[in-house]
Amino acid sequence: FPQLVRVYRTDKKGVAHAKNLGVIKSLGKFVTFVDSDDYVDFRYLQIMLAADVEMAADMIVSPIWFIHDGVKVLRRVVPKDCNYPSKKDFLSGIFYFLSGKFFKRKLFDEYGLLPPLVISEDTSWVFPAIAKTRNIVYVRTACYYYEFSDNSISISFHSRELVESAIKSSELILSNTPSSFKSEAEKYVIFRLLNYYVPKFKGYESVFREFLLNHSELCMRWCATNAELQPNIVKRLIGLINANCR
């Protein structure tokens, strides 16, 4: 289908470059992304675009099927009984990848392209974009199947470049999210850093510690509001910061 499908090749410049090239070359009203190891239901386009016809959406978001070792789990975007999700509902429970979402093409003109990071280029853009976008429509039907791979670069490789990319992603989320959603951004950044990146990238604690010390007020606010809800994460944060004083 040469009238419908165009293929562009990049010379190993990274996933962010490839996605940005697709955005630049796009001609349609909406842009969506499907990773090479994922797949979608044949109704995906029809179901998602129907939401635009009904609601004039700027962004369309759906739950996705998360698949690991053959086990399929539904990852909801908002609580099951939430019929009319607010912006804070989206920022509190969304799957912050590009997967399972449609973005109006003009959003990339307004917010810029994806940052040139090795990992987390998607979450760096998606979180602030959700906070800024006016009309987000939620579709309850899950048609995107996200294959969790143990061979992905963020899981199978450890390097300072990956760690610095994770730190840069956190900085971008904090700086690009509007002040009205500052607390949501801080909550997400600290939780992701301590619950995912620090345990995963062992041996690079000093790099994460430097980031946390540079955002000491943020850490104090986070601990004050999460001490009872997430005591283990708070303990990990305090231990990581105090290690600098030994």
Side-chain angles (χ1 to χ4, degrees):
F1 303 96
Q3 298 87 359
L4 299 176
V5 179
R6 290 170 292 150
V7 178
Y8 297 94
R9 300 185 183 279
T10 61
D11 187 20
K12 296 182 180 180
K13 296 181 180 179
V15 65
H17 176 82
K19 291 175 180 176
N20 285 335
L21 179 61
V23 171
I24 292 169
K25 297 292 186 179
S26 64
L27 301 175
K29 181 179 179 181
F30 282 91
V31 174
T32 191
F33 301 84
V34 180
D35 288 350
S36 59
D37 51 353
D38 297 343
Y39 59 97
V40 298
D41 189 288
F42 72 94
R43 304 168 299 161
Y44 182 53
L45 297 178
Q46 178 183 357
I47 290 174
M48 296 292 275
L49 291 176
D52 176 53
V53 174
E54 296 177 10
M55 306 289 291
D58 293 312
M59 186 185 300
I60 307 169
V61 180
S62 72
I64 71 169
W65 289 106
F66 191 84
I67 304 172
H68 188 212
D69 291 336
V71 178
K72 187 171 69 171
V73 178
L74 183 64
R75 290 290 300 269
R76 299 185 184 280
V77 174
V78 296
K80 184 178 181 180
D81 57 351
C82 184
N83 294 320
Y84 301 99
S86 66
K87 189 71 69 71
K88 288 193 175 184
D89 289 325
F90 283 119
L91 290 173
S92 298
I94 200 168
F95 193 48
Y96 299 110
F97 295 170
L98 294 165
S99 313
K101 302 174 184 65
F102 275 48
F103 306 93
K104 190 167 280 187
R105 173 63 179 80
K106 70 175 185 179
L107 295 182
F108 291 94
D109 295 327
E110 296 177 14
Y111 308 154
L113 297 172
L114 304 179
L117 303 178
V118 182
I119 58 171
S120 300
E121 80 291 335
D122 46 1
T123 54
S124 306
W125 190 91
V126 170
F127 193 100
I130 291 170
K132 296 174 184 177
T133 299
R134 185 179 63 178
N135 189 20
I136 303 176
V137 176
Y138 179 47
V139 174
R140 293 189 174 278
T141 304
C143 292
Y144 191 104
Y145 296 81
Y146 181 90
E147 289 275 4
F148 184 86
S149 174
D150 292 324
N151 295 319
S152 68
I153 186 172
S154 61
I155 294 175
S156 56
F157 296 96
H158 290 180
S159 72
R160 189 177 181 90
E161 183 181 17
L162 293 180
V163 172
E164 291 176 347
S165 184
I167 294 294
K168 181 62 176 177
S169 169
S170 300
E171 296 280 10
L172 288 172
I173 291 172
L174 292 174
S175 61
N176 292 336
T177 300
S179 58
S180 54
F181 296 102
K182 181 179 179 179
S183 61
E184 285 78 13
E186 291 179 349
K187 180 179 179 180
Y188 172 63
V189 164
I190 294 298
F191 179 80
R192 181 180 68 159
L193 204 71
L194 295 172
N195 195 53
Y196 179 70
Y197 287 129
V198 171
K200 170 182 164 45
F201 293 113
K202 294 187 181 299
Y204 293 94
E205 288 82 2
S206 60
V207 182
F208 293 115
R209 186 181 304 118
E210 182 179 356
F211 169 82
L212 294 171
L213 290 172
N214 288 337
H215 295 83
S216 56
E217 292 185 4
L218 182 162
C219 294
M220 291 175 63
R221 285 194 299 271
W222 193 89
C223 285
T225 57
N226 290 275
E228 294 183 3
L229 296 175
Q230 301 177 35
N232 291 334
I233 304 297
V234 171
K235 187 182 299 184
R236 186 177 298 163
L237 169 60
I238 295 173
L240 187 61
I241 293 177
N242 287 343
N244 189 57
C245 303
R246 295 172 184 170

